């Protein structure tokens, strides 16, 4: 049995934040869930996916976050308790659906998890999705601890059903990827709903309907604000004259700081866990008892702005600070020492900063960036493109996935990236303005996610571009989730269909389509040369199963290669392919047999033909 | 209860997250409050994996620069890189077997020599414990048990609020049965080397 399905109320388990969130949903009787994977949210979905295979829960990986939210919107409008999971930038993709779903509302509880990523550990920006609460009108709940994440998700379903609108649970990486004790509650039976009832004058958002729906949404926001002021997730800790208002993990840092500074008697902390609408009445009361207030929040001054506005309305003139040059930054994540120092500085508490080691005599250390794996088909494709375009002026928009890592030298496979799918859309602009040949890279999952409209645009507007689709048959970067191009039967899962990338591309009307196997460099380069020489839209589909996913299976390439005595130390292999299986020993290139997958690409690159398969079969199992 | 702050750094694939999980489980079973956080975005693609474990009465799951009581590194270069987390009170345990990053192999950076690593760490921390964890793991029968060797060394210092026996039990609970024997052997070898 899946560990999150265990019926063991009151027992404590040591869980990842994302596991606690999935457990919270199960305890609330979630019956339906959909997602597009994205760090730091991915393990929530992974656990729901696993549980769906041994319970009545319906779970799907949808093609993108907008589709996932639409799927969930319909389920929730059939009365089903539903969860939709995405990373913060995924909410941008889903935003069109989100904004009007807020008008239409739900029958069964719908919880949308937005996993924000301050410091951008694995994201392209660090946007603060609390503003989506303001923008859409939807309530936002934010946990501070792992156990609270479980409880808050379970309660979010209740809140959603009570207000009949979706509720956003906003986390940050330090909740999703932290681990702590979680006390299990009871598991409610899945709430499956009673089907769909037609109600077009409330559910079809033509202008006349939406005008009345917006009125209703404002009424719900007013009710939500009153609920926020009495919510158990907004509470006051301590009773001194100095006030701290904090949310999420910042609350933990503030609480530790107050104890470390020994100022428990002088500080009161208002923890905001129900952060949209902001609890105006509670904040007003809190401010009335304070001489001075500091708002501690990562990201934007979301609470600070609200607190100032509440104070202004009440006629309070006490100092309220948060973001500022001497205080907190809008950049990156906080840590305990930073929060301790700012609290001490602002309120004038005595404080001894930690003695940090003097690192001035540490030599410059070689970086250890994540790298494409040994045997990764992307590396072969990038090398092939680099070889074929040598001496040409090219621009290479790239996209989001493992292959983004190829932008580093020596492969240098990527010149522009803003969001999922942007490699196909931006290709149009570059083809008109950059005066260079455009070669775009996109992965298979990203192609389905949002690459297709850009490709259609390129065909219709007759842009001159080559799109290289790096088809590794999985959503690799986030942990090998399926996508519409994956053969689910091969993974032992029945009941799915499969969408062919080639058919989609041909169906769009791309006239120059080729399919290559990256490990065959010669043929791969020939196809690329022809595609790049074609005037108009050409597509090259490079098919190679993800080396990491097939490691140790029958599909793995074969026995490892080694460098023979014929090597004349050109180092084309190590300098231009840069496979992590290479290393230098006594100034000679060697291949780590434990890492080598036997893809043979380096053997094809070596000018001396010095890289050969090792004779004895000692494949790594 | 006092707070003990432990940082574990490793190269992706060295089993840092499992080691953290074992310690978390040992603490839970011993009734010691513990929270941890990990940055493992691309653990499987050769990047640096860092986990922070905070034992005792604190709410935070992250550890600021200069505030680690103990730092365990699975690789000597990464010990040096993580020195910012340490202070003159920190006990640092490192594996001595280098895993040079690819950048060093391609001439984009130079791997520092062991003597530099050793002298800088000694100068800036309270104590350096060096373990050839890779050799001991190989001796235990599985080169992949480097994590268990270092757990053994860490538990043997007595600096954690959990006993060696509690960690042993957690290894039995948490790690795969087929590797249990070599894991426990690696744990003992690490403990002996640290004493």
């Amino acid at each position: 049995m899946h560990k999150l399905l265990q019926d063991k109320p009151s027992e404590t388990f040591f869980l990842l934040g994302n596991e606690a969130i999935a457990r919270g949903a199960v305890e609330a009787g979630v019956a339906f869930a959909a997602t597009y994977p994205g760090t730091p949210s991915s393990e929530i979905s992974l656990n729901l996916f696993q549980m769906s295979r041994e319970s009545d829960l319906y779970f799907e990986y949808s093609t993108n976050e907008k589709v996932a939210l639409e799927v969930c919107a319909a389920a929730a409008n059939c009365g089903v308790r539903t969860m939709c999971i995405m990373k913060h930038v995924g909410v941008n993709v889903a935003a069109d659906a989100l904004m009007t779903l807020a008008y239409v509302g739900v029958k069964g509880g719908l919880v949308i998890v937005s996993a924000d990523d301050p410091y951008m550990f694995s994201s392209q920006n660090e946007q603060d999705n609390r503003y989506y609460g303001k923008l859409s009108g939807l309530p936002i709940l934010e946990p501070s601890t792992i156990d609270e994440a479980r409880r808050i998700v379970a309660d979010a379903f209740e809140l959603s059903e009570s207000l009949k609108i979706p509720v956003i649970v906003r986390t940050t990486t330090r909740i999703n990827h932290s681990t702590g004790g979680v006390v299990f509650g009871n598991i409610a039976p899945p709430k499956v709903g009673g089907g769909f009832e037609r109600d077009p004058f409330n559910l079809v958002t033509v202008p006349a309907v939406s005008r009345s729906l917006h009125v209703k949404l404002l009424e719900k926001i007013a009710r939500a604000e009153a609920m926020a002021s009495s919510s158990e997730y907004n509470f006051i800790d301590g009773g001194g004259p100095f006030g701290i208002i904090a949310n999420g993990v910042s609350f933990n840092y503030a609480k530790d700081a107050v104890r470390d500074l020994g100022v428990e008697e002088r500080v009161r902390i208002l923890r905001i866990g129900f952060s949209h609408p902001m609890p105006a009445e509670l904040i007003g009361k809190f401010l009335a008892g304070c001489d001075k207030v500091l708002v501690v929040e990562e990201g934007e001054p979301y609470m600070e702005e609200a607190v100032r506005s509440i104070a202004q309305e009440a006629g309070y003139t006490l100092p309220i600070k948060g973001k500022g040059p001497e205080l907190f930054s809008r950049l990156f994540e906080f840590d305990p020492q930073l929060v301790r120092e700012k609290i001490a500085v602002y309120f004038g508490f005595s404080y001894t900063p930690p003695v940090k080691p003097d690192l001035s005599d540490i030599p410059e250390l070689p970086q250890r960036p994540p790298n494409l794996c040994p045997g990764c088909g992307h590396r072969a494709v990038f090398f092939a493109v680099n070889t074929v375009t040598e001496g040409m002026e090219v621009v290479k928009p790239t996209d989001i996935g493992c292959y983004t890592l190829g932008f580093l030298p020596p492969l240098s496979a990527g010149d522009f990236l803003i969001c999922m799918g942007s490699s196909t859309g931006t290709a149009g602009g570059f083809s008109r303005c950059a005066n260079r040949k455009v070669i775009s890279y996109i992965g298979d999952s990203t192609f389905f996610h949002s690459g297709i409209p850009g490709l259609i645009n390129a065909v219709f507007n007759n842009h001159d571009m080559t799109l290289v689709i790096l088809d590794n048959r999985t959503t690799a970067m986030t942990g090998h989730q399926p996508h519409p191009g994956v053969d689910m039967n091969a993974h032992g899962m029945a009941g799915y269909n499969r969408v062919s990338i080639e058919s989609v591309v041909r169906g769009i009307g791309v006239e120059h389509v080729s399919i290559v196997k990256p490990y065959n460099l010669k043929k791969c380069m020939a196809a690329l040369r022809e595609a790049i020489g074609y005037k108009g839209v050409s597509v090259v589909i490079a098919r190679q199963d993800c080396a990491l996913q097939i490691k140790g299976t029958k599909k793995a390439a074969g026995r490892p290669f080694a460098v023979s005595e014929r090597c004349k130390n050109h180092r084309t292999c190590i300098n231009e392919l840069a496979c992590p299986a290479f290393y230098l020993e006594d100034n000679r290139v060697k291949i780590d047999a434990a890492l080598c997958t036997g893809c043979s690409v380096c053997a094809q690159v070596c000018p001396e033909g010095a890289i050969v398969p090792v004779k004895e079969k000692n494949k790594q199992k | 209860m006092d707070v003990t702050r432990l940082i574990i750094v490793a190269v992706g694939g060295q089993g840092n997250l499992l080691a953290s999980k074992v310690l978390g489980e040992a603490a839970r079973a011993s009734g010691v409050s513990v929270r941890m956080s990990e940055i493992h975005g691309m653990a499987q693609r050769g990047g640096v994996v860092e986990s922070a474990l905070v034992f005792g009465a604190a709410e935070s799951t992250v550890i600021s620069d200069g505030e680690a009581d103990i730092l365990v590194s699975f690789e000597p270069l990464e010990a040096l890189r993580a020195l910012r987390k340490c202070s003159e009170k920190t006990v640092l345990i490192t594996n001595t077997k280098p895993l040079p990053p690819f950048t060093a192999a391609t001439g984009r950076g130079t791997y520092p020599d062991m003597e530099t690593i050793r002298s800088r760490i000694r100068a800036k921390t309270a104590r350096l414990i060096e373990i050839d964890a890779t050799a001991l793991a190989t001796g235990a029968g599985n080169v992949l048990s480097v994590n268990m060797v270092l757990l053994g060394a860490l538990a043997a210092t007595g600096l954690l609020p959990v006993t060696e026996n509690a960690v042993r039990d957690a290894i039995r609970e948490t790690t795969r049965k087929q590797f249990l024997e070599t894991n426990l052997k690696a744990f003992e070898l690490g403990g002996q080397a640290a004493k």
Side-chain angles (χ1 to χ4, degrees):
Chain A
M1 183 193 261
H2 194 283
K3 70 173 173 183
L4 300 181
L5 287 173
Q6 295 176 95
D7 184 24
K8 292 184 173 171
S10 311
E11 274 192 41
T12 302
F13 293 83
F14 196 56
L15 297 184
L16 191 67
N18 280 341
E19 293 172 331
I21 290 168
R23 171 70 189 192
V26 168
E27 288 181 6
V30 69
F32 195 101
T35 193
Y36 183 81
T39 313
S41 78
S42 305
E43 299 85 359
I44 306 172
S45 310
L46 176 69
N47 280 285
L48 292 173
F49 184 36
Q50 290 165 345
M51 287 189 274
S52 74
R53 299 174 68 193
E54 49 181 288
S55 71
D56 292 333
L57 169 68
Y58 175 82
F59 173 87
E60 72 170 49
Y61 283 109
S62 305
T63 44
N64 65 33
E65 294 85 353
K66 176 175 180 284
V67 173
L69 185 55
E70 289 159 350
V71 165
C72 288
N77 269 286
C78 294
V80 179
R81 279 206 168 173
T82 302
M83 183 142 95
C84 191
I85 305 107
M86 58 195 76
K87 68 183 291 174
H88 62 333
V89 287
V91 182
N92 301 337
V93 178
D96 201 8
L98 182 78
M99 294 303 297
T100 310
L101 177 59
Y103 281 27
V104 167
V106 293
K107 310 279 187 295
L110 171 54
V111 174
I112 300 166
V113 178
S114 163
D116 291 15
D117 190 17
Y119 190 70
M120 300 163 275
F121 289 103
S122 42
S123 306
Q124 65 269 40
N125 77 29
E126 55 177 347
Q127 66 184 48
D128 184 336
N129 275 8
R130 291 177 298 173
Y131 284 99
Y132 269 115
K134 258 185 147 166
L135 190 62
S136 65
L138 298 177
I140 293 197
L141 300 179
E142 299 179 70
S144 291
T145 66
I146 307 311
D147 188 52
E148 195 182 36
R150 175 197 60 86
R151 275 197 298 135
I152 224 165
V153 165
D155 286 346
F157 284 98
E158 296 288 334
L159 180 62
S160 171
E161 278 170 21
S162 142
L163 289 166
K164 299 202 178 318
I165 45 178
V167 169
I168 299 171
V169 171
R170 184 233 183 201
T171 61
T172 59
T173 302
R174 294 299 185 171
I175 292 290
N176 300 99
H177 286 171
S178 283
T179 304
V182 174
V183 183
F184 277 11
N186 289 305
I187 296 178
K191 186 165 175 184
V192 292
F196 180 67
E197 279 175 38
R198 289 188 68 243
D199 183 14
F201 293 100
N202 281 305
L203 298 177
V204 180
T205 53
V206 297
V209 171
S210 289
R211 282 182 205 114
S212 74
L213 291 179
H214 196 190
V215 172
K216 287 179 190 161
L217 175 61
L218 294 191
E219 289 164 6
K220 290 174 182 175
I221 296 172
R223 274 178 57 210
E225 186 182 311
M227 291 163 91
S229 277
S230 60
S231 166
E232 65 174 295
Y233 297 112
N234 294 329
F235 57 84
I236 295 166
D237 217 50
F242 295 132
I244 291 173
I245 300 177
N247 71 324
V249 294
S250 302
F251 170 70
N252 303 336
Y253 306 155
K255 222 177 145 185
D256 283 352
V258 166
R259 189 178 41 233
D260 292 347
L261 293 165
V263 293
E264 290 98 327
E265 305 299 311
R266 298 163 72 186
V267 174
R268 68 176 72 189
I269 309 180
L270 170 57
R271 204 298 298 265
I272 301 289
F274 188 151
S275 59
H276 187 266
M278 283 287 274
E281 194 193 328
L282 179 68
I283 291 169
K285 279 188 201 152
F286 181 79
L287 295 178
C290 294
D291 293 344
K292 202 175 175 182
V293 163
L294 183 65
V295 183
V296 188
E297 58 187 323
E298 292 176 329
E300 301 299 319
Y302 169 87
M303 297 196 298
E304 186 184 344
E305 286 166 355
V307 170
R308 274 220 193 86
S309 147
I310 291 161
Q312 197 273 345
E313 203 161 318
Y316 298 143
T317 56
L318 77 168
I320 298 166
K321 294 271 188 206
K323 304 290 172 181
E326 305 297 314
L327 291 166
F328 292 110
S329 171
R330 300 156 94 126
L331 295 170
F332 312 146
E333 65 165 3
F334 293 175
D335 64 77
Q337 190 270 326
L338 172 93
V339 171
R340 195 186 313 137
E341 178 189 311
K342 299 303 180 191
I343 287 174
V345 167
Y346 181 67
F347 293 114
F349 300 139
S350 74
Y351 161 71
T352 323
V355 185
K356 292 185 191 175
D358 172 15
L359 300 178
S360 56
D361 63 344
I362 303 288
E364 197 179 325
L365 304 178
Q367 293 299 306
R368 198 186 290 276
N371 203 335
L372 295 173
C373 304
C376 177
H378 303 335
R379 176 180 292 105
V381 176
F382 294 152
F383 176 85
V385 170
N386 288 351
T387 307
V388 165
T389 58
E390 212 172 334
M392 271 174 77
E393 289 282 314
V394 292
V395 56
K396 293 180 278 193
T398 186
D399 226 301
I400 295 181
C402 287
Y403 49 96
T404 320
L405 299 173
F407 93 104
L408 288 171
L411 294 165
S412 306
D415 295 321
F416 198 82
L417 169 63
I418 46 179
C419 62
M420 290 285 285
S422 70
S423 62
T424 61
T426 58
F430 284 124
S431 81
R432 299 288 163 180
C433 305
N435 299 318
R436 289 156 178 252
K437 180 70 197 186
V438 182
I439 301 166
S440 285
Y441 294 118
I442 194 167
D444 42 355
S445 187
T446 308
F447 177 73
F448 285 114
H449 177 282
S450 48
I452 295 171
L455 184 61
I456 294 174
N457 181 65
V459 170
F460 172 63
N461 288 302
N462 200 23
H463 293 309
D464 183 20
M465 68 172 290
T466 299
L467 178 65
V468 180
I469 302 176
L470 301 155
D471 181 8
N472 63 358
R473 311 297 176 91
T474 187
T475 314
M477 181 62 119
T478 46
H480 300 116
Q481 291 84 356
H483 64 65
V486 171
D487 179 2
M488 297 296 274
N489 286 317
H491 291 276
M493 279 176 268
Y496 294 89
N497 292 308
R498 186 177 182 189
V499 181
S500 147
I501 294 177
E502 183 188 352
S503 303
V504 170
V505 169
R506 291 194 193 277
I508 286 170
V510 176
E511 285 178 0
H512 197 289
V513 182
S514 38
I515 294 161
V516 298
K517 291 181 177 163
Y519 289 174
N520 187 333
L521 268 186
K522 203 171 164 188
K523 282 190 179 168
C524 186
M525 286 195 273
L528 280 164
R529 203 169 278 126
E530 208 187 289
I532 292 166
Y534 180 81
K535 182 95 178 118
V537 178
S538 58
V539 169
V540 178
I541 303 170
R543 281 185 194 153
Q544 173 54 47
D545 287 305
C546 168
L548 186 58
Q549 194 180 28
I550 63 171
K551 198 172 167 184
T553 71
K554 279 185 197 156
K555 280 185 168 180
R559 53 186 162 143
F561 281 64
V563 183
S564 70
E565 302 83 60
R566 289 210 296 277
C567 169
K568 293 203 175 133
N569 231 355
H570 295 280
R571 298 204 184 166
T572 313
C573 54
I574 198 165
N575 289 340
E576 293 181 35
L577 267 185
C579 172
F582 296 125
Y583 63 98
L584 291 176
E585 195 176 87
D586 302 329
N587 218 21
R588 307 292 297 185
V589 178
K590 303 268 178 177
I591 295 173
D592 185 338
L595 292 177
C596 178
T597 67
C599 77
S600 84
V601 172
C602 59
Q604 299 167 53
V605 161
C606 177
E608 303 294 334
I611 302 176
V612 293
V614 294
K615 288 197 183 84
E616 64 275 52
K617 258 203 155 182
N618 58 344
K619 252 181 13 174
Q620 278 294 109
K621 284 284 174 201
Chain B
M1 192 168 85
D2 282 348
V3 178
T4 306
R5 295 182 172 90
L6 164 69
I7 299 247
I8 306 181
V9 289
V11 177
Q14 283 192 304
N16 170 353
L17 299 180
L18 179 61
S20 307
K21 202 173 154 194
V22 166
L23 288 176
E25 187 54 36
R28 189 197 62 80
S30 313
V32 174
S33 163
V34 65
R35 289 145 309 283
M36 68 185 214
S37 63
E38 55 203 36
I39 291 302
H40 59 88
M42 287 185 260
Q44 290 179 300
R45 287 155 193 86
V48 181
V49 184
E50 180 180 306
S51 29
L53 288 97
V54 182
F55 300 89
E59 304 293 332
S60 307
T61 65
V62 302
I63 299 171
S64 302
D65 288 358
E67 300 197 337
D69 298 303
I70 316 162
L71 189 134
V72 177
S73 177
F74 286 31
E75 202 279 342
L77 167 66
E78 295 314 319
L80 198 54
R81 203 194 305 280
L83 260 187
R84 66 182 198 289
K85 291 287 178 193
C86 301
S87 72
E88 56 192 19
K89 296 179 198 152
T90 308
V91 173
L92 193 151
I93 303 170
T94 187
N95 182 9
T96 53
K97 168 77 177 169
L99 268 181
F102 196 74
T103 47
T106 51
R108 285 179 287 138
T110 311
Y111 196 98
D113 62 81
M114 268 314 288
E115 203 35 60
T116 305
I117 294 176
R118 200 171 278 133
S119 69
R120 298 300 189 276
I121 293 173
R122 285 219 175 104
K124 292 165 211 303
T125 58
R127 190 176 156 207
L128 168 65
I129 302 172
E130 297 178 52
I131 308 271
D132 189 346
T134 309
L136 294 178
T138 309
N142 181 3
V143 67
L144 296 176
S145 62
V146 163
N147 52 357
M148 298 298 140
V149 173
L150 289 162
L151 272 185
L154 171 63
T157 62
L159 295 168
L160 290 180
V162 292
T163 63
E164 287 183 82
N165 265 335
V167 180
R168 258 182 221 110
D169 287 344
I171 291 173
R172 286 187 193 102
E173 281 288 305
T174 313
T175 71
R176 293 196 4 221
K177 293 287 162 276
Q178 64 187 114
F179 300 122
L180 184 56
E181 199 182 318
T182 49
N183 279 344
L184 287 172
K185 193 167 177 202
F187 181 83
E188 301 312 325
L189 290 176
Q192 287 160 18
K195 274 171 188 162

